[in-house]
Amino acid sequence: MSTPTDTAYVEHFSPGSGALPPRARYPHSDAKSLSLNGTWRFRLSGTADAEDDSFATQGRYDGDWAQIHVPGHWVLQGHGSPIYTNHLFPFPIDPPRVPTENPTGDHLRVFDLPADWPDLAEGGAVLRFDGVESCARVWLNGTDLGEFKGSRLPHEFAVGPLLRTTGNVLAVRVHQWSAGSYLEDQDQWWLPGIFRDVTLLHRPAGAALDFFVHASYDHLASTGTLRVDSDVAGRVTVAELGIDLATGESVTVPVDPWSAETPRLYEGELSTAGERVPLRIGFRSVELSDGLIKVNGRRVLFRGVNRHEWHPQQGRALDLETMRADVLLMKRHNINAVRTSHYPPHPAFLDLCDEYGLWVIDECDLETHGFTEQGWRDNPVDDDRWTPALLDRASRMVERDKNHPSVVIWSLGNEAGTGRGLTAMAEWIKGRDSSRLLHYEGDLGCRDTDMYSRMYASHAEVERIGQGLDGGPRKRRDLPFVLCEYAHAMGNGPGGLADYQRLFESYDRLQGGFVWEWIDHGIAHPELGYAYGGDFGEELHDGNFVCDGLLFPDRRPSPGLVEYKKVIEPVGITGEAGDGTVRITNKHDFADLSALAFSWSYEVEGDAVESGTLTVPVLAPGESADVKLPAPPATAPAGEAHWTVRAALAADTAWAAKDHVVAWGQVPAAPRRVPPLAPTARPVPGDGVITLGPGTFDARTGALTAIGDVPVRALRLDVWRATTDNDDGASWQADERFGLVWRTLGLQRMRHRLDAVETGENALTVRTRVAPAARDVGLSTVYRWTSNGDGLRLTVSTVPEGDWRVPLPRLGIRFGLCAADEVRWFGGGPGEAYADTRTASAVGRWHSTVDELQTPYLRPQENGARIDVRWAELGGLHIEGDPAFLLTARRWTTEQLDAATHRTDLTPGDTVWVNLDHSQHGIGSQSCGPGPLPQYHLRAEPAEFSFVFSTVPDPRTH
Ligand code: IPT
């Protein structure tokens, strides 16, 4: 029997022992490498020391060892389960101690060296781990190499003398919890495992070690200066620039600069005696000047997102194609910046950012948020015993990623409070790399940072900051501002993006922001569709707060992303009715408009009557021009008309094909005229019914039962919506959370009292009072029906009664249709839109099925409204709104939607429920930020709105 393994390292402050110093990471060189990804043997035990280390020292495993895929997380491969907490530590806070129950995964892999692998006598070899959560101990061929923490950081071990030609036994013991867990309290799933690549690298004699590519750009001279500092001396060549110089020497030559908009890379090579390393050089300079973040001499505006690594099956073990998909989706949605929240990403992601062009805030793997539960007492970032671990993390990030032109800002971490450990990190980083700026949001006084950064600040506060009226410490007042997180994209939303963007575009100091966050971290689940916090029986969890992305887990864009794309368009296209011109503004920071082709189309009721190309001057960044539109086509029929102007890619790019629309705008050309309806028909009493034109009503209740041959169920006023995550708001919000207030008031259980059914000369009038039990608030509601024989007009008048202190969720009517599938409408579309999420909604003629109208938010909630609908057709009805309305149709009721916790709870019934809303309350971002701005509140005020119903042939038959 072997002696128990010493597991003291697990709970030690130290970052580890035995690993090599960190160094630059590059994807490949001419030295051999061997990927050790693939199938490994695996054994899970319940504590750190349940099993001795004989599996590692003797390379033994029993037949009952499972198989596991590396890279991967064992909890996503059938061993144990994931845990989601936002900031709470899922174990008692007693640093650096962790629970005895500490799931520990022993991993074993036996490998041979490939036949073409060099003679082992030549040079050495290095074993590299790109990411292991949270603490690993490593043995090769029975020799203990050491142990490490720092889950999303690389660790290398020298293994040359230990290697054999065949039968190498690599053993890795991974502990879910370690002292390092106290530094990794990011808002995400806790997912142990070897989740990034494992690689064996041959290191020939004279191989490159660490090197630092310094490639700056002088925007006044249009020259680049290159110097490559290398631990191992060698030569640097850049054929395209005719550069051939020694390491450590510098040269200045005319170059095209690198920027996120123009990601110009030059292929080069570092050659040392033993290795040739390809370099991808981007010349650019980052500086703080005039109180602004400038790249290549210009202020930049971050149109950013926070990106966690996520895949619904693989968790944080991402393959290259998934990373590329993220980058392409970002580029196609006009996103120009990424904060790698809250850890350095897989290194290949940064290669893609260099190549396709994205500004990167590279954030260190550090968050100690859970200490906020005890007023930050014992916070590791303010305790010298932890400082070596913090510095280790800072250096592993900077050394690994320093040669990426895309990385323009280093971030110390997230939500770690304040303390001298952070200052130590900042000082080390500045000393090592003075060519980039430093970010940390928790440093409100900007003691260590180069920018004032905040999360979720309200529009009003951001505006004050823009105006420089925010006061604050002296140093901060001179610094630029970024919102490192804003617009919390949880569920339906975020609302208010356009209002933030207007501020960013109005004040130089406001250099943009990073939407929280890129993708929902839903886990594919056989019964639930996608699982979120609590679905694995966690004793502590934060529910669906982990589903707050612009993408659904399968990477389908949510309406929030479509809205963001429109809001951050790099070209402004605006105009006023009747001007005959359109104003084009180049909002790029570097690029002119030569990559774009402009076109116009003249649309009457959403039908393009004529279209053509629009000649736009090649505007420099920041310039605008008023461009004349052609005369409206003489052949245009009467009706509401718009000019739609689009800016599309003139040629294929690396990230999208020719004709991809980058920006668009609409200019009204001819106004809408609502067809009048003369109330000529009379209500006719019959056997228990009243008919009025095509309408049939219950004589006693005045309820509409059919329009022509289309049965209509339960048509009445509706004020309730299945509250969104943003309606419900976060528990810590100081502002009133309307979702809760509405429910307390009882708006989800309104009662309809019938006061009168009156048949007049040419109208049927139904008087009601709509109110919840136990409250004095109510809505006096009158339905007035008129008809010209063909059409049936409903005019709804509501007057609030009592002491209304809150806005309404919605105000409109709802009714049931027994059959509806195809939906056609003229109005805003094609996607979902609400008062403060409507920028991307274009006036047009749209169609969809009822099912396609639904937005599949992981936790079901109000969704799918189409805004500014002039008319719609579904279920055999034509509905004309006066004024335009919001349209929603679904195969379940609002009550069912409200009660559902997962998509799979929603099963279609036999009725399609249709809501025609005069208005809805805005969306906002209160699930973690401010609620909707006051102008988007739906105030309880007297209101009147009408719809004209008529029947149309079933769309399936025409
Ligand atoms: C902020 C965190 O930085 C981020 O990781 C995430 O949790 C986000 O909120 C909400 O989804 S912290 C916030 C509580 C101010």
Side-chain angles (χ1 to χ4, degrees), residues 86 186-187 308 339 342 367 369 414-415 455-456 485 488 516-517 545 548 732 928:
N86 166 11
Q186 292 94 343
D187 174 9
H308 265 293
R339 173 176 177 233
H342 301 302
E367 172 156 346
H369 207 165
N414 183 58
E415 292 281 10
M455 44 174 77
Y456 308 107
E485 294 177 24
H488 198 247
W516 187 267
E517 65 175 301
F545 203 63
D548 50 3
W732 60 84
C928 196

Side-chain angles (χ1 to χ4, degrees), residues 241-259:
L241 294 172
I243 291 176
D244 181 350
L245 80 168
T247 53
E249 281 176 7
S250 63
V251 63
T252 299
V253 290
V255 295
D256 295 328
W258 187 96
S259 76

